[in-house]
Amino acid sequence: MSTPFTGPEFSVTHDPAAPADALVVGVFSGDAGITVDAGVPEAARGPIAAALAVVGAKGKAGEAVRVPAPAGAGLGAATVLGVGLGAAPADGDRVTAETVRRAAGVAGRALDGVATAVTTLSTLDLAATVEGAYLGSYRFAEFRNTSAPKEAPLGALALVTTAGSEAVSEEARDTVEQARRTAAAVALARDFVNTPPNVLSPVEFADRAQRLGAEAGLQVEVFDEKYLADNGYGGIVGVGQGSSRPPRLVRLRRVSGVDGAKHVALVGKGITFDTGGISIKPAAGMEQMTSDMGGAAAVIATVILAAQLNLGVDVTATVPMAENMPSDTAQRPGDVLTQYPGAGKGGITVEVINTDAEGRLILADAMVRACEDGPDYLIDTATLTGAQMVALGTRTPGVMGTDDFRDRVAALSQAEGENGWAMPFPEELRADLNSRVADLANVSPNRWGGMLTAGVYLKEFVADGVQWAHIDVAGPAFNTGAPWGYIGKGGTGVPVRTMLAVLRDIAQRG
Ligand code: BES
Ligand code: ZN
Ligand code: MN
């Protein structure tokens, strides 16, 4: 049986020549050949660059080249791993955090079987190195018996810092600890997504969220199918009724204790498996719908992280969980349900034209409930539409919402390297959601702009005065392609770091 992944053990050092199995250095490309980062002792830079060049290192992003440590260079490691950083920044410019994070991720993936490493990447960006190395070495082996990885992931990583004094080193250790917790939260979201759908039912998901939330000191409430039916959560009940495994609504609350703290509501789509329901999906690729709770996973990880980092902001996560299955108890195309009639914009009736547009049905209930608390901000995130990938590809979340907050979230997501992109709500889309019999239809007869249409649907449920951002991560939450940077196959943990950046920004600037 595999042990759960906890990341490498991190330490801070002033000595790039500290004894270790491997030294990890950054490699820049340049017209006059490659160069290594300035954290490497000057006498060793030339010999290392020469050794890497001999075996073809170009310094390109994504590249990892390993060579024996040049003799006589005074290094404490037997081998040197050079990871590409791309073109050296112009004088005075710094390499971006995301460049460092990705390079550290490449290193993390390349260091399986290595017990101890020391790196100078941390002299470029300490937090990004920690996050990248942790997430790059991430693995999910819980369900491997006979095919378990033979080599352990990187065991320990010493981070070179040029910070001189004791006090600065203390600050460095704090930076490392915050980055480690951030990466661990991303890994938690990945674990949830990677846990197969037979194991992670709505009840199991709610139990795990409850346990982890309580451990982090959050106030936790779990509402069962009877409570949901009695209280009019028509969307969650309607989607969940096709499965023998009942739906849940989980609420996780962090109170900062800070006077005048802003209140941020988080909502995440928690479809533990999406068959499409009666409007069933084609078989090819359906297994990927194990990732349809990626929004919920990210939101749960983020509220726990907000508590661990003691952010000066109040956060309430409202997380609907259901399994979208076809059966004789499933909802039908043509059914009309009533979304949660909360104090805000609830009680809207919906004609379910396509049971595969289920995410918006469970989210709408949760968003109305979230708005009942009177939050300043509302962020919802969901693997909501295939159209997200048509519009933006697999790595770029679509960000919609109220204009100012949408732009703020997209800008912070860009800065974080998760690269969310602001998208509009063209006014003509709303009329396509008019229904023959109900207040709203859950899909449009027009397939163009499907990501935006889903956002327009959700907009109906956001209380007046609440600043709102909707993040569609249908592609970005789950990597079906080859590993890259600090992203492996499967769950990615996007958009945990975007939401963290937003919470930090709100704690600072309101
Ligand atoms: N969970 C899917 C969206 C999705 C697709 C996520 C691919 C990740 C990868 C969602 O519930 C869905 O089925 N959406 C439909 C909406 C349509 C019926 C309007 C879609 O995108 O086809
Ligand atoms: Zn779905
Ligand atoms: Mn669906």
Side-chain angles (χ1 to χ4, degrees):
M1 283 306 281
S2 64
T3 44
F5 176 80
T6 52
E9 205 176 291
F10 293 104
S11 59
V12 178
T13 177
H14 286 112
D15 183 12
D21 298 324
L23 168 67
V24 180
V25 304
V27 183
F28 292 109
S29 61
D31 297 339
I34 59 169
T35 50
V36 302
D37 75 78
V40 176
E42 201 172 349
R45 282 179 217 160
I48 290 176
L52 289 167
V54 167
V55 290
K58 298 277 183 277
K60 279 197 259 182
E63 181 181 278
V65 178
R66 199 160 156 188
V67 292
L75 299 175
T79 68
V80 177
L81 176 70
V83 286
L85 293 167
D91 279 351
D93 284 359
R94 292 186 44 160
V95 30
T96 68
E98 180 65 3
T99 299
V100 176
R101 196 180 287 113
R102 288 183 189 179
V106 170
R109 285 195 281 115
L111 290 175
D112 278 1
V114 171
T116 64
V118 57
T119 185
T120 53
L121 284 172
S122 43
T123 62
L124 299 169
D125 193 309
L126 181 55
T129 301
V130 170
E131 291 170 1
Y134 190 114
L135 294 172
S137 59
Y138 170 86
R139 56 174 62 170
F140 184 75
E142 192 181 334
F143 294 86
R144 292 189 184 279
N145 284 338
T146 61
S147 63
K150 288 186 192 63
E151 298 187 311
L154 173 63
L157 183 61
L159 304 145
V160 176
T161 171
T162 50
S165 70
E166 274 301 306
V168 181
S169 295
E170 189 51 46
E171 194 185 312
R173 273 190 285 275
D174 188 54
T175 301
V176 170
E177 183 53 16
Q178 293 206 25
R180 192 191 62 77
R181 284 184 182 276
T182 301
V186 174
L188 171 63
R190 290 182 179 185
D191 285 348
F192 275 138
V193 169
N194 290 334
T195 301
N198 58 328
V199 173
L200 200 77
S201 64
V203 168
E204 177 65 19
F205 195 12
D207 283 352
R208 292 186 186 196
Q210 179 170 45
R211 191 171 67 243
L212 292 167
E215 274 169 26
L218 305 177
Q219 298 168 20
V220 188
E221 295 170 294
V222 177
F223 301 108
D224 66 10
E225 70 274 24
K226 175 160 192 321
Y227 175 95
L228 294 171
D230 290 349
N231 288 275
Y233 288 84
I236 302 173
V237 169
V239 173
Q241 75 190 34
S243 175
S244 60
R245 307 198 292 175
R248 290 289 181 267
L249 179 68
V250 177
R251 303 246 306 156
L252 304 150
R253 189 171 175 78
R254 154 177 171 71
V255 182
S256 66
V258 174
D259 238 17
K262 295 288 185 192
H263 181 192
V264 183
L266 302 178
V267 171
K269 174 179 173 182
I271 294 293
T272 60
F273 194 76
D274 182 12
T275 65
I278 297 296
S279 312
I280 199 162
K281 289 180 180 295
M286 200 202 277
E287 73 285 354
Q288 291 167 20
M289 286 302 112
T290 184
S291 68
D292 213 17
M293 30 56 69
V299 156
I300 294 164
T302 301
V303 66
I304 290 172
L305 182 60
Q308 291 175 338
L309 298 181
N310 200 20
L311 300 184
V313 62
D314 294 346
V315 184
T316 306
T318 304
V319 193
M321 300 167 176
E323 185 174 52
N324 191 23
M325 297 290 271
S327 75
D328 71 332
T329 62
Q331 62 179 347
R332 293 151 289 260
D335 281 5
V336 172
L337 59 75
T338 306
Q339 302 270 191
Y340 176 60
K345 297 243 176 144
I348 293 173
T349 60
V350 180
E351 181 188 7
V352 180
I353 290 181
N354 187 319
T355 65
D356 197 12
E358 84 296 341
R360 61 199 75 182
L361 301 176
I362 69 167
L363 288 170
D365 282 356
M367 287 166 64
V368 174
R369 176 64 193 86
C371 285
E372 281 186 312
D373 299 335
D376 301 293
Y377 299 93
L378 167 64
I379 304 174
D380 80 84
T381 185
T383 49
L384 201 57
T385 66
Q388 177 276 321
M389 286 180 275
V390 176
L392 294 171
T394 56
R395 298 181 185 177
T396 303
V399 184
M400 291 142 274
T402 51
D403 291 358
D404 290 348
F405 191 50
R406 171 201 63 198
D407 289 348
R408 185 174 172 189
V409 169
L412 288 163
S413 182
Q414 291 279 315
E416 243 347 282
E418 287 189 334
N419 295 341
W421 197 256
M423 300 293 285
F425 287 148
E427 65 177 349
E428 68 274 16
L429 295 184
R430 174 58 186 81
D432 286 343
L433 290 176
N434 290 335
S435 157
R436 180 180 58 83
V437 289
D439 299 330
L440 267 182
N442 78 327
V443 298
S444 160
N446 173 0
R447 74 186 197 90
W448 306 116
M451 169 173 60
L452 314 178
T453 302
V456 167
Y457 182 94
L458 296 178
K459 182 170 184 274
E460 295 293 311
F461 300 90
V462 179
D464 293 335
V466 175
Q467 304 200 55
W468 167 55
H470 161 59
I471 311 176
D472 193 332
V473 288
F478 194 73
N479 179 27
T480 57
W484 61 282
Y486 51 86
I487 307 273
K489 283 180 183 286
T492 64
V494 174
V496 168
R497 288 188 303 109
T498 293
M499 290 191 285
L500 171 63
V502 174
L503 294 180
R504 279 203 166 118
D505 196 55
I506 290 171
Q508 258 172 31
R509 305 197 299 128

